[in-house]
Amino acid sequence: MPVEVAFHFDMGQLNDAPVSPLWISIPYVFGLSVLTELAALLSISLVRGWGEVVPSWIPVIGGRRVPPMAAVVPAVAGGLLLTAVSVWMVLSWVGVSDSMAYENGWWQALAMVSITPTALWGPILLALAYSYHPRRRPARG
């Protein structure tokens, strides 16, 4: 969907906002896509070995242990932010807050089905951070 949005294909949305020029929208959407992929990789690091020890190919810090709070704090902050966005999204779907108007119900259904996995990302990220922390905290006594 981001490519379509970058090239001003509205996918059934009824939007009266002014359209930004392509030289702005294409890098913007590309940048958002890159940030999303980086966030996904960081989420995966909470369950993979390279989330506990920095890969050796990374200069200067390669091979060192990742401090647990360096992973948990950003994961919880990101999870709370994504959960807040998800709650707002669901509230707009049920009509509590303003939502985007569509040409017909089929376009709206396609948008909802396409975005639903993103709505689950926040709670899943919070669960990953919750399970990461006890595994990584130092043993007591």
Side-chain angles (χ1 to χ4, degrees), residues 37-49:
E37 291 300 321
L38 289 174
L41 285 173
L42 289 174
S43 298
I44 293 170
S45 74
L46 295 171
V47 295
R48 301 292 302 171

Side-chain angles (χ1 to χ4, degrees), residues 2 10 14 20-21 38 47-49 52 59 63 79 98 119 121 135 137:
D10 292 331
L14 301 175
S20 59
L38 289 174
V47 295
R48 301 292 302 171
E52 297 178 7
D98 293 336
W121 192 358
R135 282 183 316 177
R137 75 172 169 229

